[in-house]
Amino acid sequence: MAKLYGNRWQTVDGPHLGQGGQGEVFRVIDITGEHPGEFALKRIRNPKRRARFEHEIEAIKLLQHPNIVQLVDHSALEKTGGNAEKPFLVMPLAHGGDLSVPARIANYNGNLDSTLAVAKQLARGLAHAHANGVIHRDIKPENILFPGIGHNTWVSDFGICLLRDAPPVTASDEVMGPRHFTAPELEGGGKLDVTPAADIYSLGKVIYYMISGGVILPRERLREVQYQEILKNGQRYQLLGFLLEKMICPLATRLQIIDAVITELDRIEEWERNISLIPVSAGGLDAISQLRQGEIATVRAREANTANRQETERRFSAVSDSVLKWLRSELTKVACHLGDETALRMEVRDAAMPDVGNMFKVQTSISSSYCSVCGIELSLQGAGDGFQQSHLLKVLLCREFKVVVSSHVAGRQPNLPEPVKPPEDVRLALIPVYCNSARERWVGYLSRPEKIDVPGRPPQQPRMSSQRVRSGLRLPPDVVGRSRVNPLMASFHYDATQIMRFRVSEWPKRQEELRTALTTAVDSFLNVVKSGNWLTDH
């Protein structure tokens, strides 16, 4: 049964043009005769979406551009009572359907010229919207309409657009736009104060959707082999691929203004005409293509290595925080159970990093060393000590750093990008040391109990392993020539000093093993304080 909207728009027989959870679209005619032919009337079904619908009307009223769907008529925006008709708007009828229709998308599969023709129109429509303070936020194939069988196109459905100087109509936890085409900063109810770059991301996904014949590109996976094949069909396809990489990417590296996209699309479209004016042969073009691919590969490798280095630091930071928390907890147990206010005062705090040059840069080989980054200290003070000096057990969290020795190279060979290195599994160590508040600049290293020389036993001689001899590596200088191992040593002995080594990936799996080593360190510290070994430099 025909229905009448606004006392002039009458529905005509036939299936709905579209229907969803929020609204439906009908074919209508204007019974007043002012607008001949059929039009599309959009009506909301969900009353909760009235604000969004009115928002769309306000947005389209602002925009007058041949590549943006026009507003022919709409219902009154003011509520006139409980019996008021549902809000509606009237638009021209898109006889050519939308971009999601299989017969339509087939026109662009592998056809660069047709794809560029549509992409440029969409970009110009978005440029007009952005210039008028409107960010669409919902660019997807279903919202790209065609008035006829040609490539002329309209951007439609501004229901969740962002209007400058107007409050947003989406809730903060509402996902905006389809997941496969939405910019990552909008997914999961992302921030509402978005920039035009969000539309640039979605447009890039739509362009790939066209040139690939309907392939929906997952996230930012354009560089993967299966998605690159369509972009290897010549120079212009290659240029399109480079442009898409600057559109379908994280916000920080994405093109920020749509005019830059239009410039690149124009360049791709005019490539063959312009190249004929340049004195370069087919061989020269092939060479520049290979050089370009090599440089892009280098940039990708550097980006991957940068991301992997950031991941390395993220993992290291997370593990170091966890280790320090655990270490503080373990030493606090010692202070709480063994300390008292009558005889022995114990306190746990962040370890002060003493300014003693390279004192805590412990060389482990000719090309690597452990450097302290933070730590926790246990302070022990006797109530009867008139000098009020504190004995300190500092457990230092150290990180291994390697010295990379390479020959100087003035340049690099083209098409040989730097290798991609995976995130590093950082080597860490907990090194317990003894300090004394009365001897501020002196540090003693705790020796492993089984290495300490005892009366009646010949002094231990440091040995260099056959592996180190073969590799040409030397033991740290402080070990060479040392003939006796004492409970407390002024120098780090690689084979005799207490050290708890582990990798980032091994935490917290080796926590029990580290707890045992920490117990040994606490015992050694207490014995050093009791015996007075700290009174003499060793």
Side-chain angles (χ1 to χ4, degrees):
M1 179 178 177
K3 294 184 178 180
L4 193 65
Y5 292 87
N7 296 321
R8 64 185 303 179
W9 299 104
Q10 180 177 298
T11 59
V12 298
D13 294 335
H16 293 176
L17 295 174
Q19 182 172 328
Q22 313 304 333
E24 50 193 344
V25 184
F26 304 91
R27 292 175 181 268
V28 295
I29 58 173
D30 182 5
I31 62 174
T32 69
E34 180 181 355
H35 299 284
E38 293 186 349
F39 291 82
L41 182 142
K42 181 178 180 180
R43 187 195 72 178
I44 63 170
R45 300 177 62 191
N46 188 345
K48 295 181 180 180
R49 291 296 183 265
R50 182 185 180 97
R52 174 183 288 191
F53 196 80
E54 294 174 353
H55 194 76
E56 178 177 9
I57 293 174
E58 294 292 348
I60 301 178
K61 287 168 64 177
L62 282 174
L63 306 176
Q64 299 294 320
H65 190 274
N67 299 122
I68 294 178
V69 69
Q70 295 302 294
L71 186 65
V72 178
D73 192 16
H74 63 85
S75 58
L77 298 182
E78 299 80 12
K79 294 181 180 180
T80 58
N83 296 324
E85 62 184 353
K86 293 183 178 180
F88 68 88
L89 62 82
V90 180
M91 306 171 291
L93 189 62
H95 296 278
D98 64 58
L99 188 57
S100 68
V101 176
R104 168 60 64 173
I105 193 60
N107 296 329
Y108 306 104
N109 187 11
N111 191 327
L112 184 56
D113 289 321
S114 298
T115 298
L116 291 174
V118 174
K120 289 177 62 176
Q121 293 180 70
L122 297 176
R124 289 172 183 149
L126 289 174
H128 177 76
H130 295 170
N132 286 275
V134 178
I135 301 173
H136 192 284
R137 299 198 296 181
D138 197 16
I139 296 297
K140 60 181 179 181
E142 292 82 357
N143 290 339
I144 297 169
L145 305 180
F146 296 86
I149 61 173
H151 299 309
N152 291 336
T153 186
W154 297 327
V155 177
S156 70
D157 199 342
F158 285 78
I160 62 172
C161 74
L162 187 67
L163 283 171
R164 183 173 56 203
D165 302 326
V169 296
T170 47
S172 60
D173 61 346
E174 183 177 355
V175 177
M176 291 167 287
R179 181 173 60 87
H180 294 300
F181 292 88
T182 301
E185 63 267 23
L186 297 182
E187 289 185 354
K191 61 181 183 179
L192 300 178
D193 54 335
V194 295
T195 68
D199 287 345
I200 292 175
Y201 180 97
S202 300
L203 176 60
K205 285 288 190 78
V206 167
I207 293 174
Y208 186 86
Y209 177 83
M210 286 192 289
I211 195 68
S212 64
V215 174
I216 298 177
L217 183 68
R219 293 293 299 181
E220 293 81 58
R221 294 171 57 185
L222 179 64
R223 294 176 178 176
E224 295 183 11
V225 175
Q226 65 266 37
Y227 302 115
Q228 281 285 316
E229 288 301 316
I230 192 66
L231 302 172
K232 293 182 178 179
N233 297 330
Q235 289 278 344
R236 293 204 301 160
Y237 286 84
Q238 190 180 79
L239 292 174
L240 178 63
F242 297 154
L243 172 59
L244 293 181
E245 286 192 15
K246 293 184 287 186
M247 299 173 71
I248 311 170
C249 60
L251 180 61
T253 56
R254 194 183 313 155
L255 293 175
Q256 298 296 306
I257 57 174
I258 197 70
D259 287 342
V261 176
I262 295 173
T263 299
E264 289 296 313
L265 291 172
D266 286 338
R267 178 182 174 222
I268 297 168
E269 186 178 53
E270 298 171 0
W271 168 262
E272 291 181 350
R273 180 178 63 83
N274 290 336
I275 202 64
S276 64
L277 305 176
I278 301 175
V280 178
S281 67
L285 291 177
D286 183 64
I288 198 68
S289 176
Q290 294 183 34
L291 285 171
R292 183 183 289 113
Q293 290 176 354
E295 293 302 316
I296 290 296
T298 296
V299 170
R300 292 174 180 171
R302 288 175 180 172
E303 290 176 349
N305 283 330
T306 297
N308 288 340
R309 284 192 294 269
Q310 292 172 346
E311 178 62 16
T312 295
E313 295 306 312
R314 186 196 66 78
R315 295 177 185 177
F316 165 72
S317 178
V319 168
S320 61
D321 288 346
S322 179
V323 169
L324 285 182
K325 183 178 179 180
W326 168 80
L327 189 58
R328 181 185 294 276
S329 174
E330 294 298 305
L331 293 180
T332 298
K333 294 176 186 176
V334 174
C336 290
H337 288 82
L338 302 184
D340 58 74
E341 294 300 322
T342 302
L344 297 175
R345 301 187 186 96
M346 287 188 174
E347 181 184 356
V348 175
R349 54 181 175 257
D350 291 338
M353 297 290 106
D355 183 14
V356 196
N358 291 328
M359 179 62 71
F360 293 121
K361 182 178 182 180
V362 178
Q363 187 175 351
T364 56
S365 74
I366 197 172
S367 61
S368 65
S369 60
Y370 280 114
C371 298
S372 60
V373 291
C374 52
I376 302 294
E377 66 183 30
L378 173 67
S379 170
L380 171 61
Q381 186 179 70
D385 185 355
F387 295 101
Q388 296 185 340
Q389 61 183 335
S390 297
H391 305 277
L392 303 174
L393 171 62
K394 293 178 181 284
V395 184
L396 304 175
L397 177 61
C398 301
R399 176 177 180 174
E400 184 184 57
F401 290 92
K402 295 182 179 180
V403 177
V404 179
V405 180
S406 60
S407 59
H408 175 72
V409 180
R412 62 178 177 84
Q413 185 175 348
N415 299 319
L416 289 179
E418 62 184 70
V420 175
K421 301 177 182 179
E424 181 185 356
D425 191 8
V426 177
R427 294 175 182 267
L428 301 174
L430 290 173
I431 302 180
V433 299
Y434 171 87
C435 298
N436 189 289
S437 61
R439 307 174 70 190
E440 182 179 351
R441 298 179 64 84
W442 185 80
V443 172
Y445 293 91
L446 300 174
S447 299
R448 292 161 56 187
E450 70 273 16
K451 295 289 184 178
I452 297 173
D453 294 320
V454 297
R457 187 174 68 184
Q460 298 185 18
Q461 295 292 337
R463 295 179 298 170
M464 187 182 298
S465 68
S466 58
Q467 179 182 359
R468 287 172 180 263
V469 172
R470 289 194 302 270
S471 64
L473 299 179
R474 297 179 294 105
L475 286 174
D478 53 281
V479 176
V480 178
R482 180 70 66 180
S483 59
R484 181 174 294 278
V485 177
N486 294 298
L488 194 63
M489 307 290 284
S491 300
F492 181 87
H493 289 214
Y494 185 82
D495 293 325
T497 298
Q498 291 188 36
I499 181 171
M500 315 168 217
R501 301 181 184 89
F502 60 101
R503 290 179 179 270
V504 161
S505 63
E506 295 175 335
W507 179 264
K509 290 181 290 187
R510 293 183 59 193
Q511 191 176 100
E512 287 304 316
E513 182 182 342
L514 294 174
R515 179 178 283 109
T516 301
L518 181 62
T519 300
T520 301
V522 173
D523 288 347
S524 298
F525 166 70
L526 295 175
N527 284 321
V528 164
V529 175
K530 176 183 70 68
S531 64
N533 278 315
W534 53 275
L535 292 171
T536 305
D537 290 344
H538 298 282

